[in-house]
Amino acid sequence: MLGCEMASPPPIARPAPRGANVAGIARDRAALLAVMFAAVVVFIGALSYFFGQDDFAGLARARGLLAPLHGPWRFVSGQLYFWLMRPLGLAAAGYHAVNVFAHAACAGLLFAMLRRRFAAPAALLGALCFAAHPALYMAVYSVSGVGEILALLFALAAMWAATRPGRAAWIALPLFALSLLSKESTVLLPIALWIVPGWIDPVGAPASPPGAARSPGGRALRVALLVLALADLASWFGGDAFGTRAGLDPSAPYAVSLGPHVAINAATYLGWTANMLLPTTRTFEDLADPALAPWAVALAAAWLAGFALRPLRRRGWFSGGATFALLIAPVLGLRNHTYHYYLYAPLIGAAWCVAALGDAAFRRPAAPSARASRTPAREAPGPGPDSSERAIAWPATLALGALLVLNGALLVRKIETMPFVDPRLRADPIVDRARIARRVYEGLRRAELPPRAELVFWSPASMRYERLNHPDSDPIHVETYWERNVRSALLDGLAVRVMFPAVDSVVFIHAYRPAGDRARFVLYDPDGTVTVESPAHLDSVMRAAAGHP
């Protein structure tokens, strides 16, 4: 039976000579450092950017400009994190550094978890697929994406703790609680931990029902983790996060329902997972994309075909796919949100499958033994983590790994530098709005703003640019995209109050209107370049332009 074969964890390999152990430990440490270094190399460009649109909400809560979050929902990432980071002020590089190095820590922990089950080259290859995957760009480049990263970081730490002997395994509970308090994206992870052979099962334990496995990863701990996840779900629904319990309009950002969009979302996420190569990636928009269906079908077919291979079944092939499915499932019902960063946690399931493939390819077939011939089929020996490797294992892994890292780094650079219609802007909204916010910050810092200034943002340049691009339309009565983009980058003015606490108010206008003496007009271009004028000076300029004395 398929289920019996999947439930066959590998036995412990015979102890290797001391010299081999020392060399193996050194290789493992080198591989761990290589994975973490690769994660940094691919996403290091994030450190050069300022804060983006959503980041200013967390900064505002830490400074008392917005009400704090109530209850446990995203308390760690949305409230506590920004409180702890407040001493950095507006040094955005520090916030981005946390994202980059926390991502590297996730990749390192993932390698450690995969190494428990697979040979070092296979574990390295699986971890590199995660570390360098360009779909993780949004989570790492956006400061507010720290919620996704911390949720997975604490979840991986919880899984690692669950593999420890004795009472130490119970450290997994508070770590998993921190994961859920960072973001609810790992809420279904405890279900994946019941699949054998899987993430926290003891290496070398005899085949048995998952609940019978003793510590580490025993029944009581798995039940406790599941109860904790159910409590988080109850808190989420009880607090009516996003208003989903009361029922949302289908056009609301977080509207959830069943329908054709579930299949389209699933195909999009599978397509993004498979289509990760520089030559084949044409767009990087956060939109459900039915055009990715061929990639999705190919990936799903490849996973199903893997069940025909007994070596993959014995290496937890089902566990990897189920982990991906369980971690992506909560967001499939969102009608209007299909984001790359929702793949951050699910990709550890894909990494497991890649490691299983590599392990099956890189192992030498085990020599038959009298003991193996007497072993029942359901307890057939599997690959131990220290089984002998083919000579091609490390050269192939290093070559493939280097290609993965190079591909990820080049594609990430392509995403962040791709120009928009206006060559001063960027097609990616995270980078574009961070650049706009920085220009506004630098322009206002150079200006001499009076105490308790009332800032009036106005953009004649945006209307001129709109007329240039759409000569048949008249933008005089309608806010242009260029105005809306800057307003969004500044979170309707809240970002300005975060950057300049002495500012009393911020408003955006589409048509000129007079203002009081305390006001300052902020004339801005579509790229965020600003000049600051007093009402008196601007009034005189307007009168002169109209031909009045």
Side-chain angles (χ1 to χ4, degrees):
M1 293 291 290
L2 180 63
C4 292
E5 290 175 317
M6 287 189 298
S8 302
I12 298 176
R14 294 179 181 179
R18 179 175 178 81
N21 282 338
V22 171
I25 291 172
R27 282 198 302 268
D28 283 357
R29 290 177 177 173
L32 173 65
L33 292 175
V35 167
M36 299 180 71
F37 181 72
V40 173
V41 166
V42 172
F43 296 102
I44 193 67
L47 271 63
S48 63
Y49 292 103
F50 198 55
F51 299 103
Q53 173 184 352
D54 295 335
D55 308 337
F56 287 108
L59 295 170
R61 278 192 295 269
R63 289 157 174 74
L65 298 174
L66 279 182
L69 295 175
H70 295 290
W73 182 74
R74 299 187 185 179
F75 174 76
V76 168
S77 61
Q79 190 75 57
L80 180 61
Y81 170 76
F82 285 96
W83 275 343
L84 295 175
M85 296 291 285
R86 184 174 177 180
L88 290 182
L90 295 175
Y95 289 80
H96 285 295
V98 170
N99 279 29
V100 172
F101 292 109
H103 172 58
C106 283
L109 272 171
L110 178 59
F111 170 78
M113 292 300 297
L114 294 176
R115 182 65 182 95
R116 293 181 66 248
R117 285 284 166 187
F118 308 113
L124 174 60
L125 195 59
L128 283 176
C129 278
F130 170 84
H133 202 296
L136 306 184
Y137 165 85
M138 287 192 66
V140 183
Y141 265 64
S142 170
V143 167
S144 53
V146 73
E148 297 286 346
I149 302 174
L150 291 179
L152 182 59
L153 181 63
F154 287 124
L156 287 168
M159 290 194 292
W160 178 255
T163 66
R164 302 300 89 194
R167 295 181 180 178
W170 288 89
I171 299 174
L173 278 181
L175 288 171
F176 187 56
L178 289 172
S179 173
L180 296 175
L181 290 172
S182 297
K183 200 167 182 184
E184 60 283 356
S185 51
T186 57
V187 70
L188 297 184
L189 180 63
I191 300 176
L193 302 185
W194 286 78
I195 300 170
V196 175
W199 291 96
I200 64 174
D201 299 304
V203 177
S208 58
R214 294 180 179 178
S215 183
R219 174 190 286 271
L221 179 56
R222 297 176 202 239
V223 170
L225 291 169
L226 189 58
V227 169
L228 191 58
L230 291 173
D232 182 74
L233 280 173
S235 172
W236 194 84
F237 283 108
D240 197 20
F242 302 119
T244 52
R245 186 177 46 144
L248 292 174
D249 184 270
S251 62
Y254 287 93
V256 180
S257 66
L258 296 178
H261 62 279
V262 175
I264 295 174
N265 283 343
T268 300
Y269 289 121
L270 286 172
W272 284 341
T273 300
N275 184 22
M276 49 158 321
L277 303 176
L278 179 64
T280 58
T281 302
R282 297 287 181 264
T283 63
F284 201 82
E285 294 180 281
D286 281 315
L287 296 172
D289 189 358
L292 289 170
W295 287 95
V297 171
L299 185 61
W303 183 68
L304 291 173
F307 286 104
L309 302 175
R310 187 166 175 243
L312 292 182
R313 297 198 301 269
R314 291 163 57 210
R315 286 168 169 83
W317 187 248
F318 178 71
S319 181
T323 299
F324 182 95
L326 287 166
L327 294 180
I328 201 65
V331 301
L332 294 182
L334 293 173
R335 298 176 61 95
N336 307 307
H337 272 18
T338 311
Y339 289 156
H340 282 83
Y341 66 76
Y342 286 151
L343 276 172
Y344 195 84
L347 277 179
I348 67 170
W352 177 287
C353 290
V354 170
L357 277 169
D359 201 62
F362 296 154
R363 297 282 190 181
R364 289 197 184 102
S369 66
R371 181 179 178 183
S373 65
R374 295 193 299 269
T375 304
R378 68 190 185 95
E379 295 184 9
D386 298 311
S387 299
S388 59
E389 302 156 0
R390 296 181 187 272
I392 193 67
W394 278 107
T397 297
L398 294 177
L400 288 172
L403 287 175
L404 283 171
V405 175
L406 179 62
N407 174 81
L410 291 177
L411 185 49
V412 164
R413 300 300 174 270
K414 179 180 178 180
I415 294 167
E416 69 173 278
T417 58
M418 190 176 296
F420 195 48
V421 176
D422 184 334
R424 297 171 297 177
L425 305 181
R426 295 291 179 265
D428 175 65
I430 293 177
V431 167
D432 185 51
R433 291 174 180 176
R435 285 158 54 91
I436 288 173
R438 183 185 290 278
R439 289 191 182 103
V440 171
Y441 172 65
E442 292 174 347
L444 293 180
R445 190 173 57 176
R446 289 192 296 267
E448 295 182 2
L449 299 177
R452 301 192 63 188
E454 299 170 356
L455 300 186
V456 181
F457 278 72
W458 182 40
S459 185
S462 292
M463 285 188 279
R464 289 194 298 270
Y465 197 76
E466 181 71 9
R467 286 193 179 99
L468 180 65
N469 283 275
H470 301 93
D472 297 333
S473 64
D474 185 3
I476 193 65
H477 299 298
V478 180
E479 184 184 42
T480 65
Y481 166 82
W482 320 104
E483 294 169 285
R484 188 164 58 251
N485 190 44
V486 172
R487 182 168 56 81
S488 297
L490 300 178
L491 207 61
D492 291 323
L494 183 62
V496 178
R497 297 188 60 208
V498 168
M499 295 185 286
F500 301 94
V503 169
D504 195 48
S505 65
V506 181
V507 297
F508 286 79
I509 63 173
H510 178 65
Y512 174 76
R513 63 172 184 256
D517 293 338
R518 282 198 311 168
R520 289 295 182 271
F521 281 91
V522 182
L523 308 180
Y524 64 93
D525 284 354
D527 68 343
T529 303
V530 301
T531 57
V532 180
E533 302 289 353
S534 67
H537 180 263
L538 193 58
D539 284 344
S540 65
V541 171
M542 296 289 289
R543 287 195 298 270
H548 296 295

